[in-house]
Every structure is written in structure tokens, then in C-alpha cells.
Amino acid sequence: MPALFDELIRFEIELWNAVDARLRADCDLPLSRFEPMRVISRRAPCRVQDIAEEMSITVGGVSKLVDRIEASGHCRRRPNPEDKRSSVIEPTPAGRQLLDAAMTSFEDELRIRLGSAVSADSLQQFSATLTQLRSAGLRADSPE
């Protein structure tokens, strides 16, 4: 299993770097901002906690990312009507426009890196396997 770990981690790093380079070149948008923007656009209402859970990163890290995205004019925070202690994050029109353009580059790069290498059925099976492994890991991490 160490060889599987090595291949999986190296592949993730190489894929991240390739997609990041493509998004920066095409849209001047780093992958580290693109990912939370995707979550913000999918979830309504969206809180920092929601992004942290979906991306499996810390709330503090997400808060800093959202600060940067907001400073660039691609999202805004407004008071959460259901919990005054938190904010709801939503994309701005400029953020939606940027995300649409970035999605085209993102999907194209994935098609080049993944879709040209293996069949759609293999990718679907690989995705299902990763989902199972992540679920097992979450169960292993949760107190019983």
C-alpha cells in the first residue's frame, strides 16, 4: 500500500499543479481560490463552515481564502439571517463571470489530463472508489 499512497499523492500534486497553471494562465485565478468559489456558487446559503467541510480544510484557512476572494471583488459577505454570529457568502456578478470562464478551462484541463488517459467508465469507477475510501477515513476519524 505504500506504493499506492505514493502514486495517489504524486498524482494529486501533479494534477493540482497542472490545473492551477491553466487557471492562472487563462483566467488569472489560482486553484486555491477557484475551489472555494465553486462551493460558494453551488451552495445557497453558503457559510465559511460549509466551505471548510466540503473542502476538508480548516475554518481559519477558509476564512482567509474568502477574505482574499472578497477583496478581489468576486464574492461578498452579508449577515446570516438565521445566525447573526455568522455571515453568508455569495458570488458577485464579476465572480460569477470569472467562475464561468474558469470552469471552461478547468473542464478542458481535466479532459486533457483524465479523459484522454482512461475511459469514462474507468473514471467513474475510480471516483466511486475514492468516495468509498474517503467515507471509510471519515468513519475511522470520528469518535464512536
Side-chain angles (χ1 to χ4, degrees):
M1 279 203 253
L4 173 61
F5 175 86
D6 292 346
E7 287 297 317
L8 187 59
I9 295 302
R10 286 354 166 245
F11 177 72
E12 186 274 336
I13 292 167
E14 291 162 3
L15 183 61
W16 179 280
N17 289 342
V19 172
D20 181 62
R22 176 72 183 268
L23 290 172
R24 286 175 187 268
D26 290 359
C27 304
D28 194 28
L29 180 67
L31 184 53
S32 61
R33 293 185 193 174
F34 172 75
E35 280 293 289
M37 287 176 68
R38 285 181 58 217
V39 176
I40 292 165
S41 73
R42 282 195 306 264
R43 297 185 69 140
C46 184
R47 303 167 303 139
V48 166
Q49 180 68 35
D50 299 324
I51 300 167
E53 288 173 5
E54 191 164 326
M55 292 181 61
S56 298
I57 59 177
T58 67
V59 169
V62 170
S63 185
K64 290 175 184 173
L65 284 169
V66 171
D67 288 345
R68 291 181 189 115
I69 297 167
E70 187 174 30
S72 70
H74 297 128
C75 76
R76 68 178 145 250
R77 294 180 194 199
R78 60 178 175 80
N80 185 341
E82 296 179 18
D83 180 358
K84 299 298 181 194
R85 297 171 296 161
S86 70
S87 297
V88 174
I89 308 155
E90 56 193 22
T92 62
R96 282 189 196 94
Q97 186 177 11
L98 177 62
L99 186 59
D100 287 345
M103 282 300 297
T104 299
S105 296
F106 174 71
E107 290 171 355
D108 186 54
E109 194 63 28
L110 291 182
R111 213 173 357 267
I112 291 166
R113 302 267 168 190
L114 303 175
S116 68
V118 295
S119 71
D121 288 343
S122 292
L123 288 174
Q124 188 173 18
Q125 180 59 46
F126 184 52
S127 179
T129 300
L130 288 175
T131 299
Q132 288 177 319
L133 290 170
R134 288 189 69 214
S135 293
L138 291 172
R139 283 192 306 275
D141 289 343
S142 65
E144 296 185 37

